[in-house]
Amino acid sequence: MQKRSLFNRLLHFSYRNILIFIILMLYKLVLFHYSLHIHNIDMNPLDYIIAVGSLMLFSFWTLWLPRREQWVSLIVLNILLTAIFYADLVYYRYFEDIITIPVLLQTGQVSSLGESIQSLVFLSDLFFFIDWILFIPYVVILIKRRKRKNRVPAYSATTIPLGKTLWSRAIRGVLTFVLGFALTFGPIKFYSETWAQGLFEGNWWNMALYNTTGLIGFHGYDIYRYSQEHLGPEPTLPGEEMAKIKEWFQQKNEKTTISDPLFGKYKNSNVMVIQVEAFMNFMIGKRINGQEITPNFNKLMNESMYFSNYYHQTGQGRTSDADFSSQSSLHPLPSGSVFVRYPDHKYDVLPAILKGKDYSTNAFHAYDSSFWNRYTMYDALGYDRFYSKNDYTLDEPLGWSLGDKSFFKQSLDEMQTIKEPFYSFLITLSSHHPYAIPKSKQELDVGEFTGNIFGDYLQSIHYVDAALGQFVEQMKAQGLWDNTILYVYGDHDNSIKDKEYYEQFLGRSLSDLDMKQIMNQVPLLIHLPDGGEAGTYPEVAGQLDMMPSILHLLGIESNSYHIMGNNLFDGQERFVTLRTGAFTDSNVYYIPSADGVYDHGSCYDLSTRQITEVSTCRAGFDQVEQELHISDQVIQYDLIRKLDQE
Ligand code: GP9
Ligand code: MN
């Protein structure tokens, strides 16, 4: 008789295997969590229990298999989970979010980020694969050696009757499943009844969901959420919910006034909107080593309206979210991009509205037309034509595609053939992460930032600014300057989150509030055809405000549209909701906590810039919850189509 160790006697081998698997994967989940560095939120004991439970749920079925098959299955599960965890981590470093099914369906996006992904991978990440490096080769050798030595099968039919083996395997599997289920869903239920109340209905932030369910649970929930939305019959909202939403929009509309003298002052003007890639507000008007970073933008500010507290309101859909929110005055979705998830739903959008007023409507972006599903979405948004990469001559290759200088030039050349009045929407690309523009195009002396990503960012912005300067000159030369509303804004932040860079650049230490504002503010510049209303406008504003504001200038009544943003010209107090659930008005700025619990968030008094009593932000928080929820419902249930039919 072979001698068995205490460990062997205490634990059946199949439990032993699964235990090793769970310990290894738990280590990786913990490593994942702490690699995120999210607001210093530690894993609490319940999080560990959820992690163990979900790993049991993921692997219980391997207990039904014979020894060798169980090993192989556990190794395959290990490889699969490690790949998912690591992909999530790399994705998080760039997007501050976890990969979801809608994101996976945008595979074009992920592969186009190739160059960026390289800069998001660190040597210390090898710790994710430590078991592959050490453990798996060992197991393979062990299995081989065993096979050679004792040819007795793992489940020896000679010693244990087959029926008994099958029964005990079945029981072990079922027991593990039941225990895994209890360990996973018990704590999640507890969370959802306490601090995570409403989270699964609201779905406002994937990171808060992750903090509730753990990583495996998050993916499970994401699959569930996706199949709910996309499989089965079209979802409908109960009548009373519809009525509430209708009333909400009506009330919002009642507040708008059209008595302002600017209403219709620029009727029938052309409209040129430029959405600039990763164009942030903090470096506007600033110098480095005596050189202006955005000299052309700064010059334009003298004869334009400059909004110095303009916020991007984007979520996972990044560029496409900035585009969607600006055109539709609705919020982007909590996960994925509206462009990808609901391109077939109806929206009140600027291009379609202007097309209805006899405008020529065109979108210009020198990149693959399928990216962010633009080709499909732009058709639905009412553009006559989408000029994408194939419509441009690649005479200035830069970064992902064509340099912005040539992009602007070719776009304006094309506009000479387009009937006026026109609505032209242009999206730039040269200042895209990781901001590596060729040496020959680097004109700025970025001093101490030379060779790092922040310096590269400033260089690429300086290049884009020069492109903007040339664009304005060409507009003037083509006779467009005096009959066109020019609306220029940044799409979102630059994904560079190291506070030190900003402190070094701005020469002062920065609070949490400063950092939030820096990362969320993009500049907005509106040049009116007669150069009217020029000046700096510090009142808060956001991307959702574009559509109603442009309609206002053109004298188009917007009462029948479903608008969530502010009209920048109606003189009303403004309120800006960000997709994370943060918000600001002229008095406060609320930063939500990663767990989504209201009390755990920070409410800042903007007059002192200090944290104040959190209850000061309560009314705003409720408003934000309602607003984001309504926006999500409008998009998901295709409500604009339904409300219009009523
Ligand atoms: C590509 C461009 C970049 O077409 O819009 O998108 P982003 O990565 O910034 O969302
Ligand atoms: Mn972008």
Side-chain angles (χ1 to χ4, degrees):
M1 265 270 281
Q2 253 185 356
K3 252 195 161 179
R4 296 167 76 211
S5 70
L6 182 66
F7 185 59
N8 278 3
R9 266 177 283 145
L10 280 177
L11 265 187
H12 186 273
F13 76 85
S14 54
Y15 273 134
R16 214 169 54 222
N17 297 345
I18 229 170
L19 188 67
I20 295 171
F21 169 80
I22 288 176
I23 291 172
L24 281 175
M25 299 321 293
L26 182 65
Y27 153 78
K28 293 185 189 193
L29 282 172
V30 175
L31 186 63
F32 171 84
H33 183 86
Y34 287 96
S35 306
L36 298 179
H37 307 295
I38 27 171
H39 310 290
N40 303 324
I41 292 184
D42 285 329
M43 282 179 77
N44 67 42
L46 282 186
D47 295 335
Y48 283 92
I49 292 176
I50 293 174
V52 170
S54 51
L55 286 166
M56 287 167 91
L57 282 183
F58 204 74
S59 59
F60 75 94
W61 54 273
T62 64
L63 288 163
W64 291 333
L65 305 173
R67 176 179 271 184
R68 187 133 41 86
E69 280 77 352
Q70 192 201 16
W71 262 119
V72 173
S73 309
L74 288 173
I75 290 174
V76 171
L77 289 187
N78 175 318
I79 294 172
L80 185 74
L81 283 185
T82 305
I84 294 174
F85 297 171
Y86 189 60
D88 280 334
L89 179 65
V90 172
Y91 187 80
Y92 178 85
R93 285 181 182 145
Y94 186 79
F95 292 102
E96 282 195 301
D97 212 333
I98 299 173
I99 298 177
T100 57
I101 304 238
V103 165
L104 280 181
L105 297 178
Q106 302 154 8
T107 42
Q109 243 105 296
V110 178
S111 55
S112 294
L113 277 178
E115 210 187 329
S116 291
I117 285 171
Q118 277 175 21
S119 70
L120 304 169
V121 168
F122 309 131
L123 195 64
S124 58
D125 294 346
L126 279 178
F127 281 108
F128 271 94
F129 307 96
I130 201 89
D131 54 342
W132 296 12
I133 299 165
L134 302 173
F135 186 70
I136 294 182
Y138 167 74
V139 172
V140 172
I141 294 168
L142 205 75
I143 290 175
K144 276 197 177 157
R145 210 185 288 159
R146 281 241 179 110
K147 221 169 103 186
R148 242 183 286 129
K149 253 199 199 163
N150 71 51
R151 298 208 166 265
V152 185
Y155 268 100
S156 171
T158 54
T159 51
I160 309 169
L162 187 64
K164 195 178 165 204
T165 321
L166 287 178
W167 265 112
S168 51
R169 273 193 237 166
I171 290 168
R172 275 196 294 273
V174 171
L175 280 180
T176 308
F177 173 81
V178 172
L179 187 63
F181 191 88
L183 294 182
T184 309
F185 290 99
I188 293 179
K189 186 159 186 300
F190 170 75
Y191 283 160
S192 63
E193 284 166 1
T194 51
W195 60 261
Q197 243 178 28
L199 182 62
F200 290 97
E201 293 77 54
N203 263 244
W204 59 86
W205 194 18
N206 287 331
M207 292 320 290
L209 277 171
Y210 157 74
N211 274 316
T212 312
T213 61
L215 190 57
I216 297 177
F218 174 82
H219 286 296
Y221 178 70
D222 180 49
I223 292 169
Y224 164 80
R225 178 170 64 181
Y226 185 81
S227 45
Q228 284 275 336
E229 265 171 22
H230 294 265
L231 311 174
E234 203 198 326
T236 47
L237 257 195
E240 71 270 19
E241 289 264 334
M242 283 269 282
K244 265 196 229 156
I245 292 175
K246 196 172 176 179
E247 199 188 309
W248 189 91
F249 279 110
Q250 267 164 3
Q251 274 181 6
K252 175 110 186 141
N253 269 337
E254 272 162 23
K255 286 200 208 144
T256 59
T257 70
I258 50 167
S259 54
D260 176 74
L262 284 183
F263 183 81
K265 182 164 178 201
Y266 303 100
K267 198 174 168 59
N268 287 328
S269 297
N270 299 316
V271 179
M272 183 91 76
V273 174
I274 306 180
Q275 179 175 296
V276 185
E277 177 62 34
F279 197 52
M280 293 167 73
N281 195 46
F282 74 91
M283 77 289 159
I284 296 297
K286 296 277 184 305
R287 289 171 179 268
I288 187 152
N289 291 318
Q291 253 180 300
E292 281 179 285
I293 292 159
T294 56
N296 294 288
F297 191 93
N298 301 347
K299 205 167 87 196
L300 268 181
M301 275 160 61
N302 296 328
E303 44 176 327
S304 311
M305 305 177 80
Y306 164 59
F307 290 76
S308 56
N309 277 297
Y310 194 69
Y311 286 84
H312 79 79
Q313 293 167 289
T314 63
Q316 272 187 334
R318 304 290 280 174
T319 306
S320 70
D321 280 356
D323 183 349
F324 175 76
S325 296
S326 302
Q327 311 286 1
S328 71
S329 201
L330 292 177
H331 288 280
L333 289 169
S335 76
S337 154
V338 182
F339 277 29
V340 178
R341 291 178 58 186
Y342 300 106
D344 50 340
H345 288 187
K346 185 169 190 276
Y347 308 102
D348 293 328
V349 281
L350 203 48
I353 295 168
L354 294 185
K355 196 176 155 70
K357 304 281 175 199
D358 257 359
Y359 271 64
S360 311
T361 54
N362 291 279
F364 301 83
H365 178 56
Y367 198 57
D368 297 3
S369 62
S370 60
F371 201 86
W372 286 127
N373 207 22
R374 284 189 179 102
Y375 180 76
T376 314
M377 189 63 173
Y378 282 175
D379 201 37
L381 294 186
Y383 287 107
D384 294 333
R385 184 161 171 195
F386 170 28
Y387 294 87
S388 66
K389 191 172 181 176
N390 291 340
D391 298 297
Y392 290 84
T393 311
L394 274 180
D395 53 5
E396 189 202 0
L398 203 159
W400 285 20
S401 174
L402 178 68
D404 289 341
K405 285 185 182 170
S406 176
F407 162 66
F408 276 151
K409 181 181 180 308
Q410 293 185 51
S411 304
L412 271 180
D413 287 349
E414 185 61 31
M415 275 182 239
Q416 286 180 310
T417 66
I418 292 172
K419 186 175 83 54
E420 295 188 37
F422 59 67
Y423 172 71
S424 289
F425 178 60
L426 295 87
I427 306 176
T428 73
L429 190 54
S430 297
S431 48
H432 196 282
H433 193 275
Y435 316 111
I437 65 164
K439 275 249 160 344
S440 59
K441 293 199 190 290
Q442 298 183 3
E443 291 177 353
L444 215 53
D445 170 13
V446 292
E448 69 256 61
F449 300 107
T450 306
N452 67 35
I453 192 163
F454 191 84
D456 289 349
Y457 173 69
L458 296 180
Q459 291 285 10
S460 69
I461 289 299
H462 189 67
Y463 164 82
V464 176
D465 177 76
L468 185 67
Q470 290 182 9
F471 183 83
V472 170
E473 288 314 309
Q474 193 177 342
M475 270 183 81
K476 287 178 182 165
Q478 282 178 210
L480 291 173
W481 193 240
D482 302 329
N483 60 1
T484 302
I485 297 170
L486 175 67
Y487 194 105
V488 184
Y489 64 94
D491 65 349
H492 50 68
D493 65 88
N494 57 12
S495 297
I496 306 174
K497 295 174 203 95
D498 315 65
K499 186 160 104 171
E500 297 74 43
Y501 285 139
Y502 301 90
E503 292 188 327
Q504 207 177 335
F505 176 75
L506 296 169
R508 61 186 167 99
S509 64
L510 298 170
S511 67
D512 280 356
L513 173 63
D514 294 330
M515 267 317 274
K516 286 286 172 201
Q517 289 188 313
I518 286 174
M519 296 311 282
N520 283 296
Q521 287 186 351
V522 291
L524 165 65
L525 185 129
I526 307 176
H527 181 267
L528 297 173
D530 54 359
E533 312 301 316
T536 297
Y537 293 80
E539 298 82 17
V540 297
Q543 284 169 339
L544 267 74
D545 308 349
M546 181 176 100
M547 181 266 250
S549 307
I550 290 181
L551 290 183
H552 183 101
L553 294 172
L554 298 177
I556 298 171
E557 296 221 13
S558 57
N559 284 352
S560 61
Y561 304 128
H562 302 88
I563 292 168
M564 290 203 141
N566 308 289
N567 175 345
L568 296 174
F569 305 104
D570 68 2
Q572 302 277 336
E573 282 267 310
R574 299 205 279 265
F575 184 92
V576 176
T577 301
L578 307 188
R579 183 63 254 189
T580 56
F583 67 86
T584 183
D585 55 17
S586 39
N587 306 313
V588 293
Y589 191 108
Y590 176 78
I591 302 175
S593 148
D595 59 19
V597 182
Y598 163 69
D599 287 341
H600 296 174
S602 313
C603 183
Y604 284 85
D605 180 336
L606 285 176
S607 60
T608 59
R609 300 193 65 78
Q610 298 301 315
I611 290 191
T612 180
E613 191 47 53
V614 73
S615 58
T616 318
C617 284
R618 180 79 232 190
F621 180 86
D622 292 341
Q623 186 176 334
V624 163
E625 251 192 341
Q626 193 188 25
E627 192 179 310
L628 290 175
H629 187 57
I630 291 178
S631 180
D632 294 346
Q633 287 188 322
V634 166
I635 296 167
Q636 286 165 18
Y637 293 93
D638 201 5
L639 288 191
I640 294 185
R641 192 185 310 277
K642 289 173 188 153
L643 289 169
D644 282 352
Q645 278 163 5
E646 275 189 0

